[in-house]
Amino acid sequence: MKAVVVRAPMEFGVEEIPVPEVPERGLLLKVSACGLCGSDLRTLRSGHRKVTFPWTIGHEIAGEVSELGPDYRGQWQVGDELAVGPLAYCGVCDFCIDGQYELCINSREIAQHWPGGFAEYVGIPEPCLRLGTIQRKPEGLDPAFAAISEPMSSCVSAQEKGEVGLGDTVVIIGTGPVGCIQTSLARARGAYRIFVADIAPERLEMAEPFGPDETINAAETDLVEEVRRLTDGRGADVVVTATPAPVASVQAVEMARRGGRILVFGGLPKDNSKVSIDMNIVHYNALHLIGISTFAPRHQRVALHFMNSGRIPMDKLVTHRFPLAEFEQGARMALAGKVLKAVFIP
């Protein structure tokens, strides 16, 4: 089969490799679509601590069941169309027992522990089938959209933890795919006003279809002062950092209103992850700093329903579709910031 093979940072391409064996208690999925994530781009640029090259990446997957393992005893049958949540929770740690699967301390992931979905076929092992992160694709939902239920699920998790809701003023820093998803979710959850900020005018323009009340070019204005002006000096109820830029965390603390919630969503570069936050602001303004990086099965169910509801312009989110054979071209465009969300079709 054809698959993307990453041999070293910035050395990748489509090669012919063997079709994976069907996992004994799992299934083989014929990939319909696989989305390119920001974490994939970081792996392409500089590797990943959980990935040993050569390797096939890709964890935003939708596909059709092609074959069942000899000892498979689950609900899925050949021909079923699935949206893949790539996480396998252990089910036995304290967090899993409490139902907080997103905090599982022993979780594993397709594209890290097992080969990923930038391929014609991907094996879905039994641990990934156990606790509900593989869902049936809603009828009528484009597989290219179903493939990106993973980042949507993480955003649902974030806004649940941040209790985004009626009357809230929300600021989202960063208007990549995650920022655009967060904008639509905040609107669906009843936020009163939503401001989005970025330093790239073209990204702000791409964010317009997702319904922000204001777009702020942070390269041309003091972002904190502008948010204060727009909120009559009070600040934002919720601030989402949807960017790897370290300064966003500092700005978030400075623009949040008293008692505000800051959703730290964007991971920072490992060599620049310690930022100078004025903790007295956190202390005296009683701010809530909430870190989010993943999701539980319930979040994926909500994400798929939301994508299929028509309340988010999925066609504006997935701006580019490439054949898998053109992975190198598409990935390099994404690395250069020329796409919002790219999906590859085998």
Side-chain angles (χ1 to χ4, degrees):
M1 70 174 184
K2 291 182 172 60
V4 172
V5 178
V6 185
R7 297 199 167 274
M10 297 309 292
E11 290 184 25
F12 54 87
V14 177
E15 301 181 14
E16 291 279 345
I17 67 171
V19 174
E21 293 185 7
V22 186
E24 186 175 344
R25 297 181 181 178
L27 52 84
L28 187 67
L29 204 69
K30 188 178 189 300
V31 177
S32 304
C34 189
L36 186 66
C37 178
S39 64
D40 293 325
L41 297 180
R42 289 193 292 273
T43 300
L44 293 176
R45 280 195 190 100
S46 54
H48 191 288
R49 63 186 177 86
K50 294 184 179 180
V51 170
T52 301
F53 296 136
W55 194 247
T56 296
I57 61 173
H59 60 270
E60 298 179 358
I61 306 165
E64 181 179 316
V65 178
S66 173
E67 189 175 346
L68 304 176
D71 292 325
Y72 177 71
R73 297 292 183 270
Q75 63 178 311
W76 308 120
Q77 301 298 319
V78 171
D80 285 345
E81 295 183 275
L82 306 180
V84 176
L87 290 165
Y89 312 110
C90 73
V92 297
C93 71
D94 289 346
F95 297 106
C96 285
I97 290 171
D98 288 341
Q100 296 177 291
Y101 296 108
E102 66 273 26
L103 299 180
C104 174
I105 60 175
N106 301 308
S107 65
R108 294 173 289 172
E109 186 171 339
I110 293 173
Q112 294 177 3
H113 191 81
W114 302 280
F118 286 126
E120 293 181 293
Y121 292 88
V122 62
I124 307 296
E126 187 269 341
C128 291
L129 296 163
R130 231 188 284 138
L131 293 169
T133 57
I134 309 294
Q135 302 279 334
R136 189 182 301 278
K137 181 183 77 65
E139 186 175 351
L141 183 64
D142 187 328
F145 301 157
I148 60 174
S149 66
E150 187 265 354
M152 183 77 68
S153 302
S154 294
C155 292
V156 170
S157 173
Q159 296 215 4
E160 176 187 270
K161 288 177 174 59
E163 299 180 344
V164 178
L166 292 171
D168 281 337
T169 293
V170 180
V171 176
I172 297 160
I173 307 175
T175 54
V178 164
C180 292
I181 292 170
Q182 297 277 16
T183 302
S184 286
L185 280 173
R187 179 67 68 207
R189 290 177 66 95
Y192 168 54
R193 289 188 298 175
I194 304 168
F195 309 142
V196 299
D198 208 302
I199 60 172
E202 62 275 12
R203 286 286 180 135
L204 289 170
E205 186 176 340
M206 285 192 284
E208 289 282 4
F210 298 89
D213 295 291
E214 298 277 349
T215 60
I216 305 170
N217 188 328
E220 296 179 350
T221 188
D222 184 310
L223 178 56
V224 175
E225 289 300 317
E226 182 64 6
V227 169
R228 291 284 176 186
R229 184 186 71 80
L230 290 168
T231 58
D232 297 324
R234 291 188 296 273
D237 299 285
V238 181
V239 185
V240 183
T241 65
T243 169
V247 68
S249 298
V250 179
Q251 293 169 325
V253 167
E254 293 176 352
M255 71 175 65
R257 70 179 300 172
R258 292 175 66 85
R261 292 96 73 197
I262 297 165
L263 308 184
V264 184
F265 194 98
L268 304 189
K270 61 183 179 181
D271 59 349
N272 194 17
S273 61
K274 297 180 180 180
V275 296
S276 298
I277 291 175
D278 187 339
M279 293 305 292
N280 271 342
I281 298 178
V282 177
H283 172 62
Y284 288 109
N285 286 356
L287 300 182
H288 302 257
L289 299 180
I290 306 169
I292 304 98
S293 64
T294 187
F295 62 96
R298 68 182 185 278
H299 301 126
Q300 191 190 13
R301 287 198 300 272
V302 171
L304 285 164
H305 290 317
F306 182 62
M307 286 191 291
N308 206 36
S309 71
R311 287 182 291 173
I312 179 170
M314 295 298 299
D315 58 326
K316 302 296 184 182
L317 184 64
V318 177
T319 54
H320 291 73
R321 302 182 191 218
F322 297 94
L324 185 65
E326 296 177 11
F327 180 84
E328 185 172 357
Q329 173 192 345
R332 292 190 185 278
M333 286 179 63
L335 285 163
K338 295 180 179 179
V339 305
L340 183 57
K341 188 70 176 181
V343 172
F344 292 83
I345 314 296

